Amino acid sequence: MEKIKIAVAKGDGIGPEIMDAVIRIFEAANVPLAYSYIEMGKSIYNKGFGTGMTPEAKETVESLGILFKGPMETPKGKGVKSINVTARKTWSTFANRRHFRSLNGVDTVFSKAGIPIDLTIIRENIEGTYGGIEHMLSQDVALCRRFITRPGSIQVHRFAFEMAKKEGFKKVTCAHKANIMKLTDGLFLETFYEVAKEYPEIEANDIIVDDLAMKLVSKPQSFDVVVLTNLQGDIMSDLCAGLVGGLGFAPSANIGDNISIFEAVHGTAPDITGKNIANPTALLLSGFMMLRHLGYMEHANTIENALLTTLEEGNHTGDFGDKTKASLNTTQFADAIIANLGKVPSTGAARQFIATHATHKAPSKPRTQKMMATAARKPETIVGIDLFFESNQTAEILGPQLQKFEHAGAKLIMISNRGTQVWPTGSAFTECVDQYRARFEVKEGESTLADMLQLAQNVGAELFVSSVEVLRNFDGKPAYSLAQGQ
Ligand code: NAI
């Protein structure tokens, strides 16, 4: 069998210890893989590569299309971005898939209650607050922009439904906060149901994310596949890791159309680094996701059965398991799995997956960056502008001051502070910070962008305007939210 070549970055902290253990298991099971080791992580930042990877490492990942990685440390306080997030975003791995299930030998509240858990979280992996677009609007006020896009949301929803269809899941649930964030989470939810229509055989429903948090800890067995936006997905997937025994059992796959990254959810575990006691299971479980992604179903099943047998026998590393039985170190745990290759656990073999990729194809480099398809354009009209400005004055004083700037038919409609209307009406109990928003509105279609920017410039001559947003209607409907109380 021809070997598929993949890029491997061992990572920092416990990364090399657990990666060596996993590759040793793969080799013992004759997995037809060839490994191209690349340099990424803390030591590379320290050598002066701001992205945390060498140009050769980037080239290798882009030509092979698969990266198997250990955890990596982002140096603190140096203004550098996380290499993990940068890698996911640069290579457009838009879906983060995390699979959580009960394992024999790993005791949890649910396993003791006889409730099996088998659920998959699909987290949008590129957008949301992970754009990391943040600004201080004043010395007291920080702002983070949260992008949710139609093409990005459709991509991740389609991945969730395709996966559900191919792997026999019956239900996909979209979790969101569209009751509060009507435009961003609203768009995520709207596109979910648009995509769901293409998969009538799969049940589609939605849930508010806080309700999901409660139901995951009270009835986790009622979920199959849950799809979420980036930050909400991050938090909920760590919650799910807790349900099945902790971070040592949480694998993840970052899937893109061209490049995919497989890694454990946990970090570099600096407290146990170099002691050869780390649990390699999460990385091994990520490895199973990778093998199945590459079409190596049999190899994944064989090693998974060996892992399940090893756990069933009561073998464990120090972070879990029966404390009355001595724990194994990382090397011994990997040896135990290797010794069990070919065995099937008495409580049932690994779930059989259907091959979703016939063969792996290394990506061919696109000539230019791809512009993702957008919906057919609707008529757009300018209806006003929001000006964000800094001031220590009260809204009572600011209202008449700003009205002086009414320009080209624009009327000052309201002033808000932290999203709550404080002028022309409001409550004396609303506590304010030194960052306001003034909303000027014009009659639909009667003003130009230049008129609105002129208004911003006029106000800016008197007040410190730190940012502006033009208000528009799409197809006659407001493409912006109202202030609380407006
Ligand atoms: P962590 O996941 O490294 O450690 C949290 C706790 O879990 C520690 O007590 C650790 O000993 C334990 N733990 C984690 N993995 C384990 C394993 N395989 N076996 C046994 N015990 C394990 O999280 P922390 O301490 O917040 O982060 C440490 C570093 O890792 C930071 O620099 C962070 O940026 C980085 N990190 C990297 C990630 C990645 O590369 N994908 C993900 C999360 C954090």
Side-chain angles (χ1 to χ4, degrees):
M1 195 179 216
E2 204 186 322
K3 288 183 174 179
I4 296 175
K5 195 167 187 187
I6 63 164
V8 177
K10 292 188 179 183
D12 302 315
I14 59 168
E17 297 163 51
I18 54 175
M19 186 60 84
D20 287 346
V22 169
I23 300 241
R24 209 154 55 77
I25 297 168
F26 281 2
E27 286 183 339
N30 295 320
V31 178
L33 283 176
Y35 308 99
S36 181
Y37 290 95
I38 58 167
E39 291 190 284
M40 283 173 81
K42 191 184 175 195
S43 59
I44 305 305
Y45 283 113
N46 293 344
K47 283 186 192 163
F49 294 97
T51 55
M53 66 179 108
T54 59
E56 295 76 31
K58 179 170 179 274
E59 193 52 46
T60 304
V61 175
E62 292 187 354
S63 64
L64 298 179
I66 299 286
L67 171 61
F68 191 32
K69 72 177 273 294
M72 289 171 194
E73 184 182 332
T74 305
K76 291 192 188 84
K78 288 192 183 165
V80 287
K81 297 257 183 190
S82 154
I83 184 163
N84 304 305
V85 177
T86 305
R88 292 171 202 161
K89 287 166 63 71
T90 309
W91 291 319
S92 302
T93 64
F94 51 81
N96 180 283
R97 174 182 179 178
R98 296 181 180 182
H99 188 198
F100 304 95
R101 61 177 178 136
S102 320
L103 293 166
N104 277 319
V106 184
D107 281 347
T108 65
V109 175
F110 295 98
S111 65
K112 285 180 185 156
I115 301 171
I117 295 176
D118 186 354
L119 68 94
T120 300
I121 298 274
I122 306 290
R123 160 188 169 195
E124 195 292 316
N125 215 19
I126 291 172
E127 304 186 344
T129 45
Y130 285 71
I133 305 170
E134 298 188 292
H135 298 92
M136 295 298 295
L137 294 190
S138 73
Q139 296 202 18
D140 277 355
V141 179
L143 177 79
C144 177
R145 292 189 149 220
R146 178 169 181 264
F147 277 94
I148 301 291
T149 72
R150 178 176 289 279
S153 302
I154 289 176
Q155 242 180 352
V156 72
H157 294 319
R158 186 157 287 129
F159 174 82
F161 280 100
E162 275 298 310
M163 186 208 73
K165 183 174 158 183
K166 286 175 180 157
E167 296 185 13
F169 293 101
K170 304 221 161 13
K171 186 167 72 174
V172 180
T173 303
C174 175
H176 59 86
K177 197 73 188 169
N179 52 331
I180 305 296
M181 293 173 282
K182 294 183 195 297
L183 296 189
T184 47
D185 278 35
L187 181 57
F188 192 71
L189 182 60
E190 180 187 312
T191 47
F192 171 77
Y193 281 115
E194 276 171 28
V195 174
K197 280 193 209 134
E198 298 168 26
Y199 301 86
E201 69 281 21
I202 296 167
E203 184 187 341
N205 66 359
D206 71 279
I207 185 167
I208 295 185
V209 68
D210 34 302
D211 191 17
L212 174 73
M214 200 269 291
K215 294 218 166 80
L216 278 175
V217 292
S218 58
K219 272 191 187 167
Q221 70 279 24
S222 53
F223 298 97
D224 242 2
V225 177
V226 186
V227 58
L228 304 102
T229 55
N230 206 338
L231 179 60
Q232 294 172 19
D234 190 15
I235 298 167
M236 287 304 125
S237 50
D238 269 27
L239 186 153
C240 291
L243 300 178
V244 295
L247 286 175
F249 301 92
S252 104
N254 302 280
I255 307 286
D257 283 337
N258 295 297
I259 296 172
S260 296
I261 306 170
F262 298 85
E263 61 181 339
V265 170
H266 63 71
T268 58
D271 51 337
I272 57 166
T273 294
K275 297 182 179 161
N276 192 28
I277 57 171
N279 179 359
T281 308
L283 187 65
L284 185 59
L285 294 171
S286 315
F288 299 157
M289 292 170 100
M290 177 176 74
L291 297 186
R292 289 178 174 127
H293 180 82
L294 294 172
Y296 291 157
M297 301 298 162
E298 279 313 311
H299 292 91
N301 287 350
T302 304
I303 309 174
E304 187 165 346
N305 283 331
L307 167 71
L308 296 176
T309 307
T310 306
L311 294 171
E312 194 179 86
E313 288 169 353
N315 296 303
H316 62 93
T317 46
D319 55 311
F320 76 100
D322 180 358
K323 298 287 174 216
T324 61
K325 187 173 173 191
S327 59
L328 303 183
N329 66 26
T330 312
T331 312
Q332 292 164 334
F333 191 72
D335 288 342
I337 296 170
I338 291 169
N340 281 329
L341 286 168
K343 294 189 192 154
V344 176
S346 63
T347 42
R351 176 149 66 91
Q352 295 285 322
F353 286 81
I354 306 150
T356 51
H357 290 58
T359 47
H360 168 70
K361 265 205 342 259
S364 50
K365 201 171 203 162
R367 215 166 35 84
T368 52
Q369 289 160 350
K370 175 172 148 194
M371 178 60 68
M372 295 206 289
T374 52
R377 294 197 84 75
K378 296 168 179 167
E380 296 170 359
T381 45
I382 289 179
V383 289
I385 192 164
D386 275 353
L387 304 179
F388 295 81
F389 64 95
E390 188 175 340
S391 174
N392 277 317
Q393 300 288 355
T394 62
E396 259 176 354
I397 294 172
L398 289 169
Q401 186 184 352
L402 283 160
Q403 277 177 313
K404 285 191 319 215
F405 294 104
E406 290 182 345
H407 164 89
K411 288 257 162 301
L412 179 68
I413 296 298
M414 65 101 189
I415 302 173
S416 71
N417 195 292
R418 292 195 282 177
T420 304
Q421 180 173 305
V422 289
W423 186 94
T425 56
S427 163
F429 289 99
T430 304
E431 293 172 334
C432 294
V433 295
D434 66 2
Q435 182 61 225
Y436 286 92
R437 169 179 55 161
R439 172 164 290 177
F440 289 88
E441 284 182 4
V442 291
K443 285 214 179 95
E444 187 169 0
E446 287 188 4
S447 294
T448 62
L449 178 60
D451 293 332
M452 294 299 97
L453 295 180
Q454 185 60 52
L455 173 59
Q457 196 174 336
N458 296 347
V459 175
E462 208 167 294
L463 292 161
F464 191 93
V465 176
S466 49
S467 70
V468 301
E469 289 290 346
V470 177
L471 305 180
R472 288 189 293 171
N473 280 359
F474 293 163
D475 209 14
K477 293 194 196 95
Y480 52 93
S481 64
L482 298 180
Q484 215 79 46
Q486 193 187 353

